[in-house]
Amino acid sequence: MGTKFKKKLLKLAFPLEKNLQHDVGNLLEQTKGINLLGYARAEMGIGESCRLAARSLASVDYPFGIINFEGTNSSRMADQSWIHKEIKAPIHNVNIFHINAEQMMEVYAHYGSSIFKDKFNIGYWHWELPDFPDEWIEGFNFVNEVWVPSDFVANSISMKSPVPVVKIPHGIEVKIIKQISRKEFSLPEQAFLFLTMYDVKSYQERKNPKASIEAFKMAFRPDDSSVGLVVKLNNANSNLRELQSVYDMTNDYKNIYIIKDILSRDATNALINSTDSYISLHRSEGFGLGLAEAMYLGKPVIGTNWSSNTDFMTSTNSCLVNYNLVRVGTDQGPYQAYQYWADPDIEHASYYMKLLVSDGTFNKKISLLGEKYIKENYSPTVIGEMMTKRLKYLNLL
């Protein structure tokens, strides 16, 4: 979007600020319920965020519809799991935008002010670093309130927010419609398998997947057939240089398996379930969905002890990896050089990898505690009730 066009839109949008201070009585005259607007069919994290919200609302039987937004997104629009709930226009009194702050202007450019008018507008936003970017502050002009999935994100956004910021996590439930065997994934059936996943189209510096590969190489010999690391790459062919760098790192290791096939959501769930442990040596997370889903499935998880995943990962239910805070150093997309993120301790991660393989008692203990914690505190029903409780407090129910 061009700078001049963006400034023009922003001038047009500022009158919305007055409209956002709605009379609750007018809102209650509309059909009570929620319009979810987001990338409901897109196979990417923010699309999954919208689908998770739908599942949480459905679990408490709260009325909602979904407006599928495509915008300029280039991800595959192949997930039609909630197509039966799609609507063409906002029919309820509350909008929840599963669109991050920097994209709110894109929503306005597409729909104009009509989608916001006479609604209570909530932005469900993610952000992965301590300082919320100043250039995204304009997004607050479109919302009455911001919901975030973790304390980490809440702390970042609330420092610059003129509207309330409320923590409403993602509801976690992993359903596997069709079991897929290791053989179908071309994986060894007897080895203890670790899994790491990342999207080649996103920023590798933040997801830091190569650290998981280095930790595995530090922990195990290249010919040790009793263990293995599965590296699942999404959109592998979108960056052939990045893909080649992964092959270069793993060429000598017969026990590192790269999967670059496009998998459905159900097949991805089956892959997580078919492996023995999930590892994410990220530099920062806006939630940590892969880790939470693996815990739900009873898998012991290894993750950096910093950012949003520490809301649900503890020293008793997971393997938290030591880190040092370092400057980003050079701009990485939206992650600017002055900011800080974590540099995980690869040696500490390799220690946990060896421990999970060698100590069955430890493995089982944290697996059971992790599964218990996620299912008790992050179930769709628990999160659905949090959402409705907040709306009831605002007199929107």
Side-chain angles (χ1 to χ4, degrees):
M1 187 181 294
T3 303
K4 287 185 178 180
F5 182 55
K6 188 175 180 181
K7 288 181 177 179
K8 183 178 179 181
L9 282 175
L10 190 55
K11 287 180 180 179
L12 292 171
F14 274 126
L16 280 172
E17 197 169 9
K18 297 178 182 178
N19 295 333
L20 289 178
Q21 305 303 320
H22 297 302
D23 182 343
V24 171
N26 291 338
L27 288 168
L28 290 175
E29 289 175 4
Q30 302 175 47
T31 303
K32 297 177 185 178
I34 292 172
N35 311 299
L36 291 176
L37 188 144
Y39 301 102
R41 300 187 194 179
E43 294 184 334
M44 60 179 183
I46 195 170
E48 190 65 19
S49 171
C50 186
R51 293 187 289 272
L52 291 173
R55 184 179 296 166
S56 293
L57 290 169
S59 72
V60 293
D61 294 322
Y62 193 73
F64 71 96
I66 299 175
I67 299 175
N68 179 52
F69 181 65
E70 295 187 7
T72 57
N73 166 56
S74 61
S75 295
R76 285 202 323 152
M77 294 288 180
D79 193 319
Q80 299 191 3
S81 54
W82 289 96
I83 196 170
H84 61 288
K85 292 293 291 184
E86 288 185 12
I87 54 179
K88 296 295 184 182
I91 60 176
H92 299 297
N93 61 333
V94 176
N95 288 329
I96 301 181
F97 296 91
H98 280 261
I99 302 288
N100 284 331
E102 73 274 21
Q103 298 171 314
M104 292 301 296
M105 185 63 72
E106 189 176 341
V107 174
Y108 180 77
H110 185 83
Y111 293 103
S113 62
S114 61
I115 200 163
F116 302 94
K117 186 175 174 58
D118 294 327
K119 309 292 182 188
F120 190 88
N121 296 292
I122 299 170
Y124 195 101
W125 294 351
H126 299 78
W127 174 237
E128 295 86 10
L129 294 182
D131 189 34
F132 186 72
D134 288 342
E135 56 267 33
W136 295 353
I137 289 176
E138 64 191 32
F140 291 114
N141 291 303
F142 299 98
V143 297
N144 301 91
E145 183 161 296
V146 174
W147 289 1
V148 295
S150 72
D151 288 333
F152 182 85
V153 183
N155 290 337
S156 176
I157 293 179
S158 63
M159 287 296 292
K160 296 180 180 178
S161 177
V163 300
V165 178
V166 180
K167 175 185 170 183
I168 305 284
H170 293 304
I172 304 300
E173 182 180 57
V174 184
K175 294 183 177 180
I176 302 172
I177 299 170
K178 179 188 176 185
Q179 294 288 348
I180 302 175
S181 68
R182 286 188 174 186
K183 185 177 181 180
E184 292 175 89
F185 285 120
S186 298
L187 298 173
E189 296 187 27
Q190 302 303 320
F192 186 107
L193 295 180
F194 295 91
L195 171 66
T196 191
M197 301 194 300
Y198 76 105
D199 192 326
V200 175
K201 288 178 69 175
S202 64
Y203 298 99
Q204 321 316 317
E205 293 79 7
R206 180 178 69 80
K207 284 292 189 180
N208 201 25
K210 293 176 183 177
S212 297
I213 297 173
E214 293 291 355
F216 180 84
K217 291 169 67 174
M218 185 179 291
F220 306 107
R221 300 188 314 274
D223 59 349
D224 187 348
S225 61
S226 69
V227 295
L229 172 66
V230 181
V231 182
K232 173 63 182 80
L233 305 176
N234 295 327
N235 296 301
N237 294 324
S238 66
N239 189 331
L240 295 180
R241 180 179 297 180
E242 173 66 23
L243 178 61
Q244 186 59 48
S245 71
V246 173
Y247 280 123
D248 291 342
M249 286 186 71
T250 60
N251 270 342
D252 296 334
Y253 276 73
K254 297 178 181 178
N255 49 9
I256 297 181
Y257 310 92
I258 297 173
I259 298 177
K260 60 188 186 73
D261 298 333
I262 296 173
L263 300 181
S264 67
R265 177 70 254 189
D266 188 58
T268 300
N269 292 344
L271 177 62
I272 298 172
N273 196 44
S274 70
T275 55
D276 298 292
S277 174
Y278 190 95
I279 179 168
S280 172
L281 298 184
H282 55 268
R283 296 187 184 278
S284 188
E285 276 289 0
F287 181 72
L289 187 58
L291 290 161
E293 290 175 337
M295 291 171 73
Y296 178 95
L297 290 170
K299 309 297 177 181
V301 299
I302 303 172
T304 311
N305 189 20
W306 194 72
S307 66
S308 296
N309 58 297
T310 59
D311 277 13
F312 55 84
M313 289 177 66
T314 69
S315 59
T316 59
N317 70 16
S318 55
C319 301
L320 288 168
V321 174
N322 296 338
Y323 66 93
N324 290 311
L325 279 183
V326 297
R327 285 194 184 275
V328 174
T330 57
D331 289 355
Q332 308 286 347
Y335 312 115
Q336 296 181 14
Y338 76 91
Q339 298 247 31
Y340 287 87
W341 57 16
D343 183 25
D345 184 336
I346 292 175
E347 186 174 353
H348 193 211
S350 71
Y351 160 79
Y352 274 130
M353 294 179 98
K354 289 184 285 188
L355 184 62
L356 288 176
V357 172
S358 64
D359 191 337
T361 301
F362 173 77
N363 184 321
K364 186 175 182 179
K365 177 184 176 182
I366 66 166
S367 300
L368 291 174
L369 289 175
E371 180 180 358
K372 183 175 185 288
Y373 190 86
I374 291 295
K375 289 183 174 179
E376 287 183 356
N377 297 282
Y378 285 80
S379 74
T381 300
V382 167
I383 305 307
E385 289 173 349
M386 289 177 65
M387 295 167 77
T388 54
K389 181 179 180 180
R390 177 60 182 171
L391 296 178
K392 184 176 182 180
Y393 174 78
L394 295 170
N395 294 318
L396 294 168
L397 296 186

